[in-house]
């Protein structure tokens, strides 16, 4: 063989070897971590989000995972949450749990993260993204429960105001749909039209998580609808806001109130008879199950999930009325939380 042929053969062999090495580096499976490193990103730092973080920490401890809890300073702040997500060192993470504040707007971001590590959503979902799983409740069903509580509180019907932080989160969109469709459900066939109470939803008012805007929404509505019979708070912060405004205008106990989540203000309002009921979720379990799912994915891979749709853990919501309050409080005693310091996010 001539010297030139030997040279070209050596180059070809070297090229094949380099291609094989590159393929091995790029396509080799990520080693299974002995102690998965996970990030848990909430939608705020209020009591509700503290409970999700407490559940996540409990799961990480029991499953031997390293967990970094990231809480935006302000509830419902999409800018702060996105800043946290862009700062994550994905090369050193085996999974990210996220409660997306904008289901559609954050889909591309979630997809980019998923290309580098596992993503699981909790509380609120981004169903059109590539996330590997979701932990939450049926918010359409929770909205239906809320509507039935309004019907219990107002058996004769009346004007109803609904407060909402936003309509960008998947859970809020579903919650609104379930509420509206259940409350406006036509009477059963054969029922007398006169006996069917009429409910008039005077508005679904958005406050972007801002207490000042929410209070103003209530006050303006009370002036424009003096016969307002019920106020519904669709987010955890609304119970305290509604109680403050109704106390200020001397209407505590005169307007029925239905809220979401087991915030202290909601439970105190129920005990005092100023809130008819609240719909309790289980944020502690959301955090625990999301972390457990990430631990399983990082150690066992995709084989642990269904082929279609990823993995979903559905946790039921529960109505809490005054006669159910004591038993519910007893269940909460085992879940005392120590507030986590929120991240100081500068945009």
């Amino acid at each position: 063989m001539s010297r030139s042929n030997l040279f070209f053969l050596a180059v070809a062999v070297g090229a094949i070897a380099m291609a094989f090495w590159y393929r091995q580096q790029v396509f080799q499976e990520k080693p299974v971590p002995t102690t998965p490193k996970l990030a848990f990103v909430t939608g705020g730092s209020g009591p509700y989000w503290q409970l999700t973080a407490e559940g996540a920490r409990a799961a990480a401890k029991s499953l031997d995972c390293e967990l970094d809890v990231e809480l935006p300073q302000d509830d419902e702040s999409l800018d702060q949450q996105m800043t946290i997500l862009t700062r994550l060192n994905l090369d050193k993470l085996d999974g990210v749990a996220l409660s997306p504040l904008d289901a559609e707007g954050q889909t591309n971001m979630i997809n980019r993260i998923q290309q580098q590590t596992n993503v699981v959503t909790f509380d609120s979902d981004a169903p059109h993204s590539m996330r590997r799983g979701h932990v939450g409740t049926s918010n359409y069903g929770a909205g239906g429960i809320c509507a039935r509580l309004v019907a219990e509180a107002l058996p004769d019907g009346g004007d109803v105001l609904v407060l909402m932080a936003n309509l960008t989160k998947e859970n809020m969109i579903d919650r609104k749909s379930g509420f509206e469709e259940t409350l406006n459900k036509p009477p059963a066939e054969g029922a007398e039209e006169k006996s069917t109470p009429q409910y008039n939803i005077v508005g679904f008012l958005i406050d972007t998580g801002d207490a000042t805007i929410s209070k103003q929404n209530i006050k303006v509505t009370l002036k424009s609808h003096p016969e307002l019979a019920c106020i519904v708070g669709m987010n955890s912060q609304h119970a305290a806001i509604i109680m403050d405004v109704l106390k200020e205008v001397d209407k505590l106990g005169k307007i029925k109130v239905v809220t979401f989540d087991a915030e202290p203000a909601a439970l105190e309002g129920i005990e005092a008879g100023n809130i008819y009921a609240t719909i309790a979720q289980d944020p502690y379990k959301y955090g625990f199950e999301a972390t457990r799912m990430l631990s399983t994915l990082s150690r066992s891979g995709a084989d642990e999930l269904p082929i279609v749709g990823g993995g979903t853990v559905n946790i039921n919501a529960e109505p809490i009325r005054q006669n159910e309050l004591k038993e519910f409080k007893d269940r909460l005693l085992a879940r005392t939380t120590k507030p986590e310091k929120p991240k100081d996010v500068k945009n």
Side-chain angles (χ1 to χ4, degrees):
M1 184 179 292
S2 67
R3 183 172 297 178
S4 61
N5 286 340
L6 283 173
F7 172 77
F8 286 120
L9 178 61
V11 170
V13 171
I16 293 171
M18 285 295 295
F20 180 77
W21 176 85
Y22 178 78
R23 182 180 177 84
Q24 287 292 100
Q25 294 298 311
V26 173
F27 295 104
Q28 68 180 345
E29 291 187 7
K30 192 176 180 179
V32 177
T34 54
T35 304
K37 295 177 176 60
L38 311 175
F40 187 84
V41 184
T42 70
S45 59
Y48 178 89
W49 299 112
Q50 296 287 349
L51 277 171
T52 65
E54 189 69 11
R57 285 192 291 267
K61 183 177 180 180
S62 67
L63 298 169
D64 191 25
C65 300
E66 290 183 18
L67 184 71
D68 179 20
V69 176
E70 302 273 2
L71 299 102
Q73 178 72 41
D74 301 317
D75 289 351
E76 308 296 329
S77 175
L78 178 61
D79 288 343
Q80 291 178 16
Q81 188 184 73
M82 288 294 284
T83 298
I84 288 172
L85 291 174
T86 57
R87 290 180 180 175
L88 293 178
N89 189 346
L90 299 176
D91 291 335
K92 294 184 178 180
L93 288 174
D94 300 299
V96 176
L98 168 68
S99 182
L101 293 174
D102 184 348
E104 293 298 325
Q106 289 178 292
T107 290
N108 287 337
M109 167 71 83
I110 293 170
N111 290 346
R112 287 196 295 273
I113 297 173
Q114 178 58 54
Q115 289 172 356
Q116 292 183 254
T117 190
N118 295 304
V119 179
V120 166
T121 59
F122 65 94
D123 180 60
S124 182
D125 196 11
H128 303 302
S129 72
M130 296 166 61
R131 56 89 173 135
R132 305 306 303 278
H134 173 66
V135 179
T137 191
S138 166
N139 278 282
Y140 181 90
I145 292 172
C146 185
R148 287 189 285 274
L149 289 171
V150 169
E152 285 180 17
L154 298 177
D156 297 323
D159 289 348
V160 180
L161 168 64
V162 182
L163 306 175
M164 305 187 73
N166 58 61
L167 271 174
T168 58
K169 292 172 67 174
E170 189 74 13
N171 60 347
M172 298 310 300
I173 295 169
D174 290 347
R175 200 173 288 181
K176 176 180 181 290
S177 297
F179 178 83
E180 194 169 20
E181 292 176 22
T182 302
L183 196 64
N184 293 329
K185 190 175 182 180
E189 189 174 345
E192 292 184 21
E193 192 170 332
K194 284 185 179 179
S195 66
T196 304
Q198 299 298 310
Y199 299 95
N200 175 40
I201 302 174
V202 301
F204 290 95
L205 302 186
I206 308 300
D207 55 47
T208 67
D210 189 315
T212 301
I213 295 174
S214 186
K215 288 180 179 181
Q216 186 65 17
N217 285 341
I218 299 171
K219 291 178 180 179
V220 169
T221 304
L222 287 172
K223 287 183 179 179
S224 60
H225 294 82
E227 299 302 317
L228 187 70
C230 181
I231 301 176
V232 174
M234 287 278 189
N235 295 84
S236 59
Q237 69 270 22
H238 286 141
I241 293 169
I242 295 168
M243 291 296 96
D244 285 346
V245 174
L246 293 185
K247 183 178 181 180
E248 183 182 332
V249 299
D250 193 28
K251 286 187 177 292
L252 271 178
K254 299 174 185 177
I255 293 177
K256 299 295 184 182
V257 178
V258 176
T259 63
F260 266 80
D261 299 321
E263 299 293 290
L267 301 183
E268 290 167 9
I270 293 171
E271 188 169 22
N274 296 321
I275 294 179
Y276 179 77
T278 196
I279 295 94
Q281 303 178 83
D282 196 341
Y284 180 97
K285 195 165 186 180
Y286 292 170
F288 192 99
E289 291 298 329
T291 304
R292 182 198 59 77
M293 188 181 289
L294 282 178
S295 173
T296 300
L297 281 169
S298 62
R299 286 177 163 125
S300 305
D303 291 344
E304 296 295 323
L305 291 180
I307 293 175
V308 177
T312 299
V313 176
N314 186 51
I315 299 169
N316 291 335
E318 178 183 353
I320 307 297
R321 306 169 184 84
Q322 195 173 55
N323 65 330
E324 296 145 343
L325 186 60
K326 183 182 183 305
E327 190 271 336
F328 179 74
K329 280 185 172 182
D330 289 343
R331 281 186 273 151
L332 287 178
L333 286 178
R335 293 183 179 177
T336 303
T337 63
K338 182 178 180 181
E340 176 93 4
K341 185 178 179 181
K343 299 292 181 182
D344 182 15
V345 178
K346 296 179 181 179
N347 296 308

